[in-house]
């Protein structure tokens, strides 16, 4: 058997380490910041229902495809495809992933910077005393429109990401995720319990969990599927890259299942916090914007004895959760330049990191910092274009490539290493080759409706 432990690229220290790292990539702002916002804007419970279905069927399918391709080739997304179809134009899937990763990171790191900024805001006592929703809305508006503060924390996040990635896979990614993800989980459960016991919680819950099917339309499905890709880190090769570090003895099917489950669980919990709190503080449930999570979490934290300490802890852990995602976003282009272009790791990290920072400037200025970008709703536009459409397009081609070009039988064989009896393989293959690509094509069709 081939020993991966001797590979120069490095492998995860253990199966658990991989799971933590992949979960760390998946769990981030997508769960706590973006999920409640898209639920709020897309009809509430009906969106939640479509979302869970999208994760279970489409998300799981693509996740397993990416991990399988990555482990088989032990390469970055471009190299992985080239390994299987040398010199073929299919490599564009990898390039698309690299571009998507850089664009995604450029706005994601801005929002991660808000989370980091909120650690300091909370510590400085901004959320002490009796809070109202109007107050936290104003605090967020003042903060996110102040270029100085936004740039300091955006720069901090990019700097930390660059620092961690330059240390490499094992020392960097593994160490962080192992300790801090479980802590975030415990804190979120505590917050959810508190939110559910607020006066008015039931009404918030009903919007969140009691579906109104008259609100189901193409836009809901488009956003649900897009959010599933975003939240599970799919469609741009992150899981190809992470899969390339998994050992041959690991079970890819249970890994994909576990990561999808943990990610969805955290997102659902975040909703259990946001919606009851909104109603309890007299706010409408269906007008969430980019600031929703930042306006609402301080409110629920203020309902805790010891909310001050909890608040600092919460925003610290949110920042860390975002960082375990930013490092996975940067790792995709970096692994390409290191593997395929023979750049040193340090050079790749620095060049791409600085480029991404520059690309993020419009997003950083789009919450009131500069009229021009604010009017364009630049951050929202980037989030939609790269955090939704681009990932869906990438996922479509990954399915087609794994299912038809590489071929399902070869994929089965790779999965069999670590899981000799993959019972659901024909169902997976059907989803990979027929269902998922068709659903993606249909949702891409709906973009016209949204634009129009
Ligand atoms: N999944 C991350 C989140 O939910 O915050 C965001 C993300 C990370 C998307 C890595 C895509 C990716 F490749």
């Amino acid at each position: 058997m081939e020993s991966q432990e001797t590979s120069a690229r490095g492998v995860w220290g253990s199966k658990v380490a991989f799971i933590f790292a992949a979960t760390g990539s998946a769990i981030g702002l997508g769960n706590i910041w973006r999920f409640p916002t898209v639920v709020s804007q897309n009809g509430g419970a009906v969106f939640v229902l479509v979302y869970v279905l999208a994760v279970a069927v489409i998300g799981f399918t693509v996740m397993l495809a990416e991990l399988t391709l990555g482990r088989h080739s032990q390469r970055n997304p471009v190299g992985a495809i080239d390994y299987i179809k040398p010199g073929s134009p299919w490599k564009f899937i990898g390039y698309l992933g690299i571009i998507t990763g850089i664009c995604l990171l450029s706005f994601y790191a801005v929002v991660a910077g808000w989370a980091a900024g909120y650690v300091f805001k909370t510590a400085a006592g901004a959320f002490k005393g009796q809070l109202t929703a109007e107050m936290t809305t104003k605090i967020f508006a003042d903060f996110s429109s102040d270029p100085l503060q936004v740039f300091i924390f955006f720069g901090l996040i990019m700097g930390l990401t660059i620092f961690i990635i330059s240390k490499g896979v094992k020392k960097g990614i593994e160490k962080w995720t192992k300790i801090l993800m479980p802590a975030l989980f415990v804190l979120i459960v505590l917050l959810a319990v508190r939110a559910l016991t607020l006066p008015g919680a039931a009404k918030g819950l009903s919007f969140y969990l009691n579906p109104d099917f008259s609100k189901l339309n193409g836009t809901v499905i488009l956003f649900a599927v897009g959010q599933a890709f975003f939240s599970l880190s799919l469609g741009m090769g992150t899981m190809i890259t992470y899969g390339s570090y998994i050992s041959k003895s690991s079970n890819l099917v249970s890994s994909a299942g576990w990561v999808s489950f943990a990610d969805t669980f955290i997102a659902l919990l975040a909703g259990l916090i946001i919606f009851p709190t909104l109603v309890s503080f007299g706010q409408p449930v269906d007008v969430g914007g980019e600031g929703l999570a930042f306006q609402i979490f301080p409110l629920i934290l203020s309902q805790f004895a010891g909310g001050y300490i909890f608040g600092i802890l919460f925003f610290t852990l949110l920042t860390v959760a975002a960082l375990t995602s930013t490092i996975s976003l940067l790792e995709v282009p970096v692994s390409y330049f290191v593997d395929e272009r023979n750049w040193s790791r340090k050079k790749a990290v620095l060049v791409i990191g600085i480029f991404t920072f520059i690309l993020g400037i419009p997003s950083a200025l789009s919450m009131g910092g500069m009229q021009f970008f604010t009017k364009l709703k630049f951050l929202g536009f980037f989030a939609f274009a790269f955090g939704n459409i681009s990932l869906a397009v990438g996922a479509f081609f990954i399915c087609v490539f794994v299912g038809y070009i590489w071929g399902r039988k070869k994929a089965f064989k790779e999965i069999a290493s670590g899981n000799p009896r993959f019972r659901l393989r024909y169902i997976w293959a059907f989803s990979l080759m027929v269902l998922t690509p068709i659903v993606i094509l249909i949702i891409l069709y709906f973009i016209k409706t949204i634009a129009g």
Side-chain angles (χ1 to χ4, degrees):
M1 206 173 93
E2 126 190 52
S3 160
Q4 299 198 359
E5 269 63 24
T6 53
S7 147
R9 308 182 69 240
V11 287
W12 304 108
S14 64
K15 177 180 172 185
V16 176
F18 159 75
I19 300 252
F20 270 116
T23 316
S25 167
I27 296 175
L29 297 166
N31 308 60
I32 289 160
W33 162 71
R34 199 164 183 237
F35 179 73
T37 306
V38 282
V39 171
S40 167
Q41 292 168 339
N42 288 286
V46 72
F47 177 93
V48 177
L49 192 70
V50 179
Y51 177 76
V52 171
L53 272 175
V55 169
V57 181
I58 295 174
F60 176 81
T61 301
V62 179
M63 170 95 63
L64 185 55
E66 287 201 27
L67 292 180
T68 308
L69 183 59
R71 189 179 68 176
H72 181 75
S73 61
Q74 303 206 11
R75 278 172 178 74
N76 65 83
V78 176
I81 289 166
D82 206 40
Y83 175 77
I84 283 166
K85 272 263 158 235
S88 79
W90 286 99
K91 265 202 290 196
F92 82 90
I93 304 175
Y95 293 125
L96 177 70
I98 287 165
I99 295 168
T100 306
I102 292 173
C103 294
L104 227 163
L105 179 57
S106 77
F107 79 82
Y108 194 94
V110 171
V111 181
W114 299 347
Y118 264 50
V119 175
F120 292 88
K121 268 213 171 312
T122 313
F127 302 117
K128 274 190 166 164
Q130 279 294 327
L131 290 174
T132 63
E134 288 69 28
M135 285 156 77
T136 57
T137 303
K138 182 166 182 331
I139 291 174
F140 177 74
D142 290 346
F143 171 74
S144 61
S145 62
D146 175 8
L148 182 68
Q149 296 191 65
V150 169
F151 274 108
I152 289 176
F153 292 108
F154 172 36
L156 178 76
I157 294 290
M158 282 310 301
L160 282 171
T161 307
I162 288 172
F163 176 74
I164 300 168
I165 279 286
S166 63
K167 299 260 168 223
V169 173
K170 261 200 200 156
K171 272 186 263 156
I173 305 174
E174 246 186 75
K175 204 167 76 187
W176 282 83
T177 31
K178 259 194 229 173
I179 317 162
L180 294 154
M181 300 308 293
L184 177 68
F185 174 74
V186 171
L187 197 61
I188 289 182
V189 171
L190 280 177
L191 291 180
V193 171
R194 182 66 191 93
L196 289 173
T197 50
L198 288 175
K203 204 163 149 243
L205 268 188
S206 154
F207 174 77
Y208 184 52
L209 295 177
N210 191 6
D212 170 356
F213 285 98
S214 68
K215 291 186 178 150
L216 181 62
N217 58 34
T219 314
V220 168
I221 299 173
L222 169 66
F223 274 93
V225 175
Q227 172 65 16
F229 291 140
F230 181 79
S231 194
L232 295 171
S233 306
L234 297 174
M236 52 161 276
T238 304
M239 292 298 164
I240 299 180
T241 308
Y242 273 29
S244 73
Y245 304 116
I246 311 182
S247 81
K248 290 278 181 198
S249 57
S250 294
N251 182 337
L252 296 176
V253 180
S254 65
S255 299
W258 167 252
V259 175
S260 309
F261 171 77
D263 185 71
T264 308
F265 196 64
I266 297 280
L268 292 176
L269 279 175
L272 281 184
I273 298 169
I274 295 282
F275 292 100
T277 309
L278 271 172
V279 173
S280 189
F281 280 82
Q283 296 304 299
V285 281
D286 55 359
V287 288
E290 311 292 2
L292 182 68
F294 291 91
Q295 291 153 12
I296 301 307
F297 274 103
L299 292 175
I300 182 71
L301 285 159
S302 73
Q303 298 301 302
F304 261 97
Y308 175 72
I309 300 292
F310 269 128
I312 297 173
L313 196 62
F314 173 74
F315 285 112
T316 306
L317 292 172
L318 181 60
T319 307
V320 174
L323 271 173
T324 54
S325 302
T326 57
I327 55 187
S328 76
L329 284 162
L330 190 58
E331 177 66 20
V332 172
V334 164
S335 67
Y336 164 72
F337 281 98
V338 172
D339 289 356
E340 309 294 316
R341 304 261 150 172
N342 291 323
W343 286 20
S344 74
R345 199 169 176 87
K346 285 236 152 56
K347 175 177 163 191
V349 172
L350 262 184
V351 172
I352 303 165
I354 291 170
F355 177 77
T356 309
F357 181 81
I358 295 168
L359 191 67
I361 292 173
S363 293
L365 292 172
S366 77
M367 299 297 289
M370 200 168 142
Q371 273 300 307
F372 180 69
F373 296 123
T374 309
K375 281 218 184 90
L376 285 177
K377 297 197 175 129
F378 198 89
L379 195 149
F381 165 70
F382 247 47
F384 180 62
F386 296 100
N388 200 334
I389 302 310
S390 206
L391 296 178
V393 172
F396 172 83
F397 285 110
I398 289 169
C399 289
V400 172
F401 184 80
V402 171
Y404 295 95
I405 309 298
W406 185 29
R408 64 179 192 285
K409 295 214 173 100
K410 298 206 179 100
F412 288 164
K413 204 167 152 221
E414 180 62 40
I415 293 170
S417 162
N419 183 355
R421 282 178 304 170
F422 173 28
R423 289 217 182 79
L424 298 176
R425 63 178 171 279
Y426 294 111
I427 296 178
W428 176 67
F430 172 75
S431 175
L432 180 75
M433 298 169 73
V434 182
L435 187 68
T436 301
I438 290 180
V439 171
I440 296 177
L441 285 183
I442 294 174
I443 62 161
L444 290 178
Y445 175 80
F446 284 118
I447 298 174
K448 276 206 315 222
T449 342
I450 294 177

